[in-house]
Amino acid sequence: MPEEQVREKLRRLPAVDRVLRVPPLPDLLARYPREMVVEAVRRVLERQRDLLRQGGGMPALVALAGQAAEMVEAKTRASLRRVINATGVVLHTNLGRAPLGTEALEAVTAVARGYSSLEMDLATGTRGERYTHVTRLLHALTGAEASLVVNNNAAAVLLVLHTLARGREVVVSRGQLVEIGGSFRIPEVMAASGATLVEVGTTNKTYLRDYEQAIGPQTAALLRVHTSNYRLVGFTRQVPALELAGLGQRYGLPVIEDLGSGLLVDLSPFGIRGEPLVSDSLGAGIDIVTFSGDKLLGGPQAGIILGRQKYLEAMKKNHLLRALRVDKLTLAALEATLRLYLEPGRLAEVPALRMLTAGPEELEARAARLAALLTRALGQAARVGVVNGFSQAGGGSLPGVDLPTFMVQVHLQDIKVEVLATQLRQGEPAVIGRVQKDSLLLDVRTVPEGDFAELVRCFQAAYARAAASAGG
Ligand SMILES: *Cc1c(COP(=O)(O)O)cnc(C)c1O
């Protein structure tokens, strides 16, 4: 049998040129380099040969052309794509942390589309400074004397240490030598800045006298680091900001605090506690604080440095600043986000804050609406329900704080949940949920209602692709 039949089928397989004439390939040939389309057809035919050898049937020409077109499409589509985040992790670092609100987006568009007053003082027509655009806002919101914005918080810490402590020593508690997100480690940033780390205390306990005993002629600063992504619990002690600031004052040394998240407003009315407020640190007498723009602040990726004028002036003169400088799009988004903070009634317009503070009733009602839409869209094929669980702040903020939430649970009768999750990731936009046992969980905390229609459409398309691949 078969041997002869297979050979016959292989002979009947169309040539590359013939497939190239089948729509939609002629259109693709007109748009993309010929070699790219030809290569896709070759690979499709190669795969088809294998299938024929394994006893598969002869496909239609249009099907072969369609597969090649899909391959070209996969190669030419954007790599950085939109994602619907149904994980419930609000500041998901791998998914881009804080989404921007309408005001910030409009500011970015306006500044990006044309020219801007980035480095011009429009009152006098003379040269201005890019760093002044947010100074007044930051002062109003935190009481800080002076400010500087750089590319991210890692850059902020690097610039502060490089300016104030290069070639000298910085005293840090052993309980605060943290690693954030794999690539930011206090000891390594310290080394990169040219400062020498002097560790004091123990992993769980550090006292004021530990810092004091380490102070010597080479000491340039005292550093406090917020242990943003883990909690020290039990038999522990860290020196409060107020005490460390007092010690710095007595010895005439600047005290620096890396706050990580940079909370500007008290979220405890929403049950969110344990994250230090920027104004509290400055109020306690800390000389320089640094934090991220895209964590709890809910703005763009940025590193914000606040503190005493004389230290900030020194940082502005540091040549390293040129390599860490913030761009105009970031400044536009940051300024627009900070302006919302001036009006407490508008804080819900900062998407990250809105998501973090969403209450259980709201989330349950939203989950019920999404469940109803998915039930209607998927019909008999799916079992859809609403379950409760917990979301997380993410982005190395609020560790151990579980936010009660509601999720839509989807179980498909004839498709493995991993296959569904893979197909959802391939969609446009991609949808990322949580896989738990044989179900997919969609946490509505991070999915605004306005995205439901799109999410349902992506779900239907992913289901269809998964069913097609399961069906052979
Ligand atoms: C997140 C974090 C950083 C790094 O901030 P990026 O803005 O991601 O560079 C540094 N220090 C602490 C304590 C953090 O939590």
Side-chain angles (χ1 to χ4, degrees):
M1 98 92 235
E3 192 70 8
E4 185 47 39
Q5 271 176 28
V6 167
R7 224 172 299 147
E8 175 56 25
K9 278 190 193 162
L10 287 173
R11 253 198 303 280
R12 282 187 10 238
L13 204 60
V16 172
D17 278 341
R18 187 143 166 247
V19 182
L20 286 174
R21 286 195 294 272
V22 180
L25 297 185
D27 284 349
L28 295 184
L29 279 170
R31 285 163 57 198
Y32 299 115
R34 181 179 175 83
E35 198 40 53
M36 181 186 262
V37 186
V38 170
E39 174 62 22
V41 172
R42 280 210 188 98
R43 282 182 44 203
V44 166
L45 290 175
E46 196 50 51
R47 195 167 64 191
Q48 198 55 52
R49 260 179 224 112
D50 289 342
L51 291 174
L52 290 177
R53 285 191 200 101
Q54 289 158 27
M58 182 63 91
L61 254 179
V62 283
L64 293 174
Q67 287 170 25
E70 256 172 47
M71 224 177 254
V72 172
E73 206 258 316
K75 237 190 207 149
T76 53
R77 77 172 165 182
S79 168
L80 183 58
R81 280 155 53 210
R82 189 169 120 69
V83 166
I84 293 179
N85 171 16
T87 65
V89 181
V90 178
L91 302 168
H92 200 303
T93 297
N94 299 348
L95 301 182
R97 289 200 187 149
L100 296 178
T102 311
E103 300 271 320
L105 293 174
E106 282 170 2
V108 169
T109 309
V111 162
R113 183 172 285 143
Y115 300 96
S116 63
S117 61
L118 183 63
E119 291 186 349
M120 182 180 280
D121 180 343
L122 293 177
T124 60
T126 55
R127 195 189 149 94
E129 241 191 83
R130 70 177 59 212
Y131 302 105
T132 57
H133 297 289
V134 288
T135 302
R136 248 174 311 164
L137 275 167
L138 287 167
H139 173 82
L141 295 168
T142 66
E145 242 175 68
S147 71
L148 188 54
V149 181
V150 290
N151 186 43
N152 57 15
N153 188 31
V157 177
L158 180 69
L159 181 68
V160 171
L161 294 173
H162 187 271
T163 308
L164 301 180
R166 185 166 29 111
R168 298 173 66 202
E169 294 174 353
V170 176
V171 186
V172 190
S173 159
R174 287 200 169 87
Q176 298 178 351
L177 294 176
V178 296
E179 168 175 314
I180 314 280
S183 55
F184 179 91
R185 295 172 133 198
I186 289 294
E188 275 141 47
V189 174
M190 189 81 73
S193 76
T196 303
L197 171 66
V198 176
E199 304 175 21
V200 296
T202 60
T203 308
N204 57 329
K205 287 213 175 198
T206 304
Y207 300 92
L208 194 65
R209 61 170 186 272
D210 294 324
Y211 287 92
E212 189 159 12
Q213 281 160 11
I215 294 175
Q218 280 308 304
T219 309
L222 310 177
L223 172 67
R224 204 168 181 268
V225 183
H226 179 48
T227 53
S228 26
N229 53 2
Y230 79 108
R231 281 263 182 277
L232 267 174
V233 291
F235 189 60
T236 64
R237 153 119 202 154
Q238 291 298 325
V239 175
L242 191 68
E243 288 177 35
L244 199 62
L247 182 67
Q249 249 152 39
R250 283 211 298 288
Y251 284 85
L253 292 169
V255 181
I256 305 160
E257 183 167 24
D258 172 10
L259 283 171
S261 234
L263 196 58
L264 294 182
V265 289
D266 182 15
L267 294 181
S268 61
F270 302 95
I272 298 172
R273 290 184 187 84
E275 198 69 33
L277 274 166
V278 173
S279 51
D280 285 351
S281 287
L282 292 170
I286 297 286
D287 298 289
I288 297 137
V289 300
T290 75
F291 52 94
S292 299
D294 55 353
K295 289 187 181 173
L296 291 174
L297 195 152
Q301 178 189 307
I304 298 167
I305 310 172
L306 302 180
R308 298 201 195 284
Q309 180 82 23
K310 62 171 175 179
Y311 298 128
L312 273 287
E313 279 311 314
M315 290 173 212
K316 284 183 190 164
K317 294 203 185 93
N318 188 333
H319 293 297
L320 190 58
L321 177 60
R322 182 62 178 77
L324 309 174
R325 89 173 176 187
V326 65
D327 83 308
K328 61 183 180 181
L329 307 188
T330 304
L331 278 173
L334 183 63
E335 182 179 21
T337 306
L338 290 173
R339 285 177 62 210
L340 292 176
Y341 277 87
L342 286 180
E343 300 176 64
R346 297 186 68 189
L347 276 180
E349 292 176 47
V350 178
L353 291 183
R354 178 162 167 60
M355 290 177 191
L356 284 166
T357 57
E361 302 81 27
E362 176 191 346
L363 293 170
E364 185 171 23
R366 219 192 305 165
R369 283 194 289 277
L370 179 59
L373 290 174
L374 281 171
T375 304
R376 182 140 31 101
L378 298 171
Q380 298 295 316
R383 226 170 45 227
V384 181
V386 172
V387 296
N388 56 7
F390 295 96
S391 331
Q392 265 148 31
S397 326
L398 303 166
V401 174
D402 290 326
L403 308 164
T405 193
F406 285 87
M407 301 177 286
V408 177
Q409 181 177 39
V410 183
H411 173 82
L412 293 177
Q413 244 73 285
D414 37 37
I415 287 166
K416 281 209 175 76
V417 65
E418 291 79 12
V419 175
L420 174 67
T422 303
Q423 287 303 334
L424 281 169
R425 281 199 310 275
Q426 309 304 315
E428 195 67 63
V431 176
I432 316 275
R434 279 194 246 164
V435 170
Q436 194 178 72
K437 291 197 193 127
D438 54 0
S439 295
L440 192 78
L441 297 176
L442 306 170
D443 187 336
V444 293
R445 182 183 294 279
T446 45
V447 187
E449 192 115 14
D451 286 354
F452 280 5
E454 215 173 10
L455 190 156
V456 170
R457 178 180 59 69
C458 288
F459 222 97
Q460 276 176 308
Y463 173 64
R465 287 194 302 272
S469 65

